């Protein structure tokens, strides 16, 4: 898979090299599109997570990260937060969580759609 704005290794779980390859291609294509729309870099804090790493970082059970449907994007600036969220929505990502330091996004088909939540 060819991504314009990301290297697949950016999505690796820290405890499993090359695990970024376990990300869902459909999700990555839309995320790459969102990055192009936003016009600002997306620094991936968390992409694919092994079950062990998900537990270590306090991730929820059934996390979309463990199935390759989610990513957390580092973000602390209000202007960039607005650009990133607007781009995610424009690209078709329909599940967004916003915290002071990151934006969670996912397209997990097993979860409620068209939701935004706060951490």
């Amino acid at each position: 898979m060819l991504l314009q704005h990301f290297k697949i290794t950016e999505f690796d779980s820290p405890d499993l090299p090359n695990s970024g390859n376990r990300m869902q291609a459909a999700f990555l294509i839309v995320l790459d599109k969102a990055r192009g729309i936003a016009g600002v870099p997306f620094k991936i804090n968390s992409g694919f997570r092994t079950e062990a790493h998900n537990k270590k970082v306090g991730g929820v059970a059934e996390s979309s990260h463990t199935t390759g449907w989610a990513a957390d994007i580092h973000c602390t600036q209000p202007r960039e937060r607005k650009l990133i969220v607007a781009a995610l929505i424009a690209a078709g990502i329909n599940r967004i969580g916003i915290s002071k330091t990151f934006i969670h996004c996912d397209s997990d088909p097993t979860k409620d759609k068209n939701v935004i939540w706060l951490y």
Side-chain angles (χ1 to χ4, degrees):
M1 167 182 20
L2 183 62
L3 298 172
Q4 184 175 355
H5 301 288
F6 299 104
K7 295 178 185 169
I8 198 70
T9 56
E10 293 178 70
F11 299 92
D12 285 356
S13 187
D15 59 341
L16 186 61
N18 300 313
S19 56
N21 289 314
R22 296 184 183 189
M23 294 294 293
Q24 299 293 328
F27 173 70
L28 290 180
I29 289 166
V30 176
L31 186 62
D32 199 52
K33 179 180 176 182
R35 166 55 186 87
I37 293 168
V40 296
F42 284 16
K43 180 181 181 266
I44 305 301
N45 286 349
S46 183
F48 179 79
R49 293 181 191 163
T50 62
E51 293 286 346
H53 184 67
N54 189 58
K55 186 173 183 179
K56 179 180 178 181
V57 299
V60 298
E62 311 279 329
S63 170
S64 299
H65 287 278
T66 63
T67 57
W69 282 107
D72 293 342
I73 304 163
H74 175 80
C75 184
T76 58
Q77 301 301 310
R79 179 182 175 278
E80 287 184 1
R81 187 175 295 116
K82 190 264 183 199
L83 291 171
I84 292 169
V85 169
L88 292 169
I89 293 168
I93 292 177
N94 58 25
R95 295 178 43 80
I96 298 170
I98 302 171
S99 89
K100 290 182 179 182
T101 60
F102 69 91
I103 298 167
H104 169 93
C105 60
D106 76 68
S107 294
D108 191 327
T110 68
K111 304 223 173 128
D112 289 340
K113 295 176 180 17
N114 301 316
V115 294
I116 295 178
W117 65 90
L118 301 175
Y119 289 98

